[in-house]
Short mmCIF file of all heavy atoms in Angstrom, two decimals:
data_model
loop_
_atom_site.label_atom_id
_atom_site.label_comp_id
_atom_site.label_asym_id
_atom_site.label_seq_id
_atom_site.Cartn_x
_atom_site.Cartn_y
_atom_site.Cartn_z
N MET A 941 2.31 0.44 -15.60
CA MET A 941 3.08 0.48 -14.34
C MET A 941 3.72 1.85 -14.15
O MET A 941 4.14 2.21 -13.06
CB MET A 941 4.20 -0.57 -14.35
CG MET A 941 3.75 -1.99 -14.41
SD MET A 941 2.79 -2.49 -12.98
CE MET A 941 4.09 -2.77 -11.79
N LEU A 945 11.46 0.38 -14.96
CA LEU A 945 11.78 -1.04 -14.81
C LEU A 945 10.79 -1.85 -15.64
O LEU A 945 9.60 -1.60 -15.59
CB LEU A 945 11.63 -1.39 -13.32
CG LEU A 945 12.22 -2.71 -12.83
CD1 LEU A 945 13.73 -2.67 -12.91
CD2 LEU A 945 11.77 -2.96 -11.39
N PRO A 946 11.29 -2.84 -16.42
CA PRO A 946 10.33 -3.68 -17.15
C PRO A 946 9.33 -4.29 -16.16
O PRO A 946 9.70 -4.67 -15.05
CB PRO A 946 11.21 -4.77 -17.77
CG PRO A 946 12.59 -4.22 -17.79
CD PRO A 946 12.68 -3.26 -16.64
N LYS A 947 8.07 -4.38 -16.60
CA LYS A 947 7.01 -4.82 -15.68
C LYS A 947 7.34 -6.14 -14.98
O LYS A 947 7.15 -6.28 -13.77
CB LYS A 947 5.70 -4.96 -16.45
CG LYS A 947 4.58 -5.56 -15.62
CD LYS A 947 3.22 -5.40 -16.23
CE LYS A 947 2.99 -6.28 -17.43
NZ LYS A 947 1.60 -6.20 -17.91
N VAL A 948 7.87 -7.11 -15.77
CA VAL A 948 8.07 -8.45 -15.20
C VAL A 948 9.16 -8.48 -14.14
O VAL A 948 9.32 -9.48 -13.44
CB VAL A 948 8.39 -9.50 -16.29
CG1 VAL A 948 7.21 -9.65 -17.24
CG2 VAL A 948 9.67 -9.14 -17.04
N LEU A 949 9.93 -7.36 -14.00
CA LEU A 949 10.96 -7.33 -12.95
C LEU A 949 10.45 -6.71 -11.65
O LEU A 949 11.15 -6.71 -10.64
CB LEU A 949 12.20 -6.58 -13.43
CG LEU A 949 13.03 -7.27 -14.50
CD1 LEU A 949 14.34 -6.53 -14.71
CD2 LEU A 949 13.30 -8.73 -14.15
N HIS A 950 9.24 -6.19 -11.67
CA HIS A 950 8.68 -5.68 -10.41
C HIS A 950 8.53 -6.86 -9.46
O HIS A 950 8.16 -7.95 -9.86
CB HIS A 950 7.36 -4.97 -10.65
CG HIS A 950 7.57 -3.59 -11.18
ND1 HIS A 950 7.54 -2.48 -10.38
CD2 HIS A 950 7.86 -3.16 -12.43
CE1 HIS A 950 7.79 -1.41 -11.11
NE2 HIS A 950 8.00 -1.79 -12.36
N SER A 951 8.84 -6.59 -8.20
CA SER A 951 8.90 -7.69 -7.24
C SER A 951 7.57 -7.87 -6.52
O SER A 951 6.88 -6.91 -6.18
CB SER A 951 10.07 -7.39 -6.29
OG SER A 951 9.76 -7.81 -5.01
N VAL A 952 7.22 -9.12 -6.31
CA VAL A 952 6.05 -9.48 -5.50
C VAL A 952 6.58 -10.34 -4.36
O VAL A 952 7.02 -11.46 -4.58
CB VAL A 952 5.02 -10.29 -6.31
CG1 VAL A 952 3.73 -10.46 -5.52
CG2 VAL A 952 4.74 -9.66 -7.65
N GLY A 953 6.60 -9.78 -3.17
CA GLY A 953 7.04 -10.55 -2.01
C GLY A 953 8.48 -11.03 -2.12
O GLY A 953 8.77 -12.18 -1.85
N GLY A 954 9.38 -10.14 -2.54
CA GLY A 954 10.81 -10.47 -2.53
C GLY A 954 11.33 -11.16 -3.77
O GLY A 954 12.50 -11.51 -3.82
N LYS A 955 10.48 -11.36 -4.77
CA LYS A 955 10.93 -12.03 -6.00
C LYS A 955 10.25 -11.37 -7.18
O LYS A 955 9.07 -10.99 -7.09
CB LYS A 955 10.49 -13.49 -5.95
CG LYS A 955 11.61 -14.47 -6.05
CD LYS A 955 11.10 -15.87 -6.15
CE LYS A 955 12.20 -16.82 -5.70
NZ LYS A 955 11.85 -18.20 -5.93
N SER A 956 10.97 -11.25 -8.29
CA SER A 956 10.35 -10.62 -9.45
C SER A 956 9.23 -11.50 -10.01
O SER A 956 9.25 -12.73 -9.84
CB SER A 956 11.39 -10.35 -10.53
OG SER A 956 11.86 -11.58 -11.05
N MET A 957 8.29 -10.85 -10.68
CA MET A 957 7.16 -11.59 -11.28
C MET A 957 7.66 -12.71 -12.18
O MET A 957 7.17 -13.84 -12.12
CB MET A 957 6.34 -10.67 -12.18
CG MET A 957 5.50 -9.70 -11.46
SD MET A 957 4.46 -8.92 -12.72
CE MET A 957 4.55 -7.24 -12.18
N ARG A 960 8.90 -15.70 -10.43
CA ARG A 960 7.79 -16.48 -9.89
C ARG A 960 7.17 -17.34 -10.98
O ARG A 960 6.77 -18.49 -10.72
CB ARG A 960 6.73 -15.56 -9.27
CG ARG A 960 7.23 -14.88 -8.03
CD ARG A 960 6.11 -14.39 -7.13
NE ARG A 960 6.71 -13.88 -5.92
CZ ARG A 960 7.14 -14.62 -4.93
NH1 ARG A 960 6.99 -15.93 -4.96
NH2 ARG A 960 7.72 -14.09 -3.87
N LEU A 1155 -0.40 -4.94 -8.53
CA LEU A 1155 0.81 -5.48 -7.89
C LEU A 1155 0.57 -5.62 -6.38
O LEU A 1155 0.92 -6.63 -5.77
CB LEU A 1155 1.98 -4.53 -8.16
CG LEU A 1155 3.37 -5.00 -7.76
CD1 LEU A 1155 3.82 -6.18 -8.61
CD2 LEU A 1155 4.39 -3.86 -7.91
N TYR A 1159 0.38 -9.01 -4.11
CA TYR A 1159 1.18 -9.15 -2.90
C TYR A 1159 0.30 -9.63 -1.74
O TYR A 1159 0.68 -10.53 -0.98
CB TYR A 1159 1.84 -7.81 -2.56
CG TYR A 1159 2.71 -7.87 -1.34
CD1 TYR A 1159 3.92 -8.57 -1.38
CD2 TYR A 1159 2.35 -7.25 -0.16
CE1 TYR A 1159 4.72 -8.65 -0.26
CE2 TYR A 1159 3.14 -7.31 0.96
CZ TYR A 1159 4.33 -8.02 0.90
OH TYR A 1159 5.13 -8.08 2.02
N LEU A 1162 -0.51 -13.27 -2.14
CA LEU A 1162 0.67 -14.07 -1.84
C LEU A 1162 0.90 -14.14 -0.33
O LEU A 1162 1.21 -15.20 0.23
CB LEU A 1162 1.87 -13.43 -2.53
CG LEU A 1162 3.11 -14.26 -2.63
CD1 LEU A 1162 2.87 -15.47 -3.52
CD2 LEU A 1162 4.26 -13.43 -3.20
N ASP A 1186 8.30 -12.85 3.25
CA ASP A 1186 8.66 -13.19 1.86
C ASP A 1186 8.59 -14.70 1.65
O ASP A 1186 8.79 -15.47 2.60
CB ASP A 1186 10.09 -12.73 1.53
CG ASP A 1186 10.16 -11.24 1.25
OD1 ASP A 1186 9.10 -10.58 1.23
OD2 ASP A 1186 11.29 -10.74 1.06
#
Side-chain angles (χ1 to χ4, degrees):
M941 296 297 281
L945 194 67
K947 174 166 73 174
V948 296
L949 290 189
H950 281 262
S951 144
V952 189
K955 239 186 202 187
S956 67
M957 286 189 223
R960 292 201 174 281
L1155 189 67
Y1159 181 70
L1162 195 66
D1186 281 355

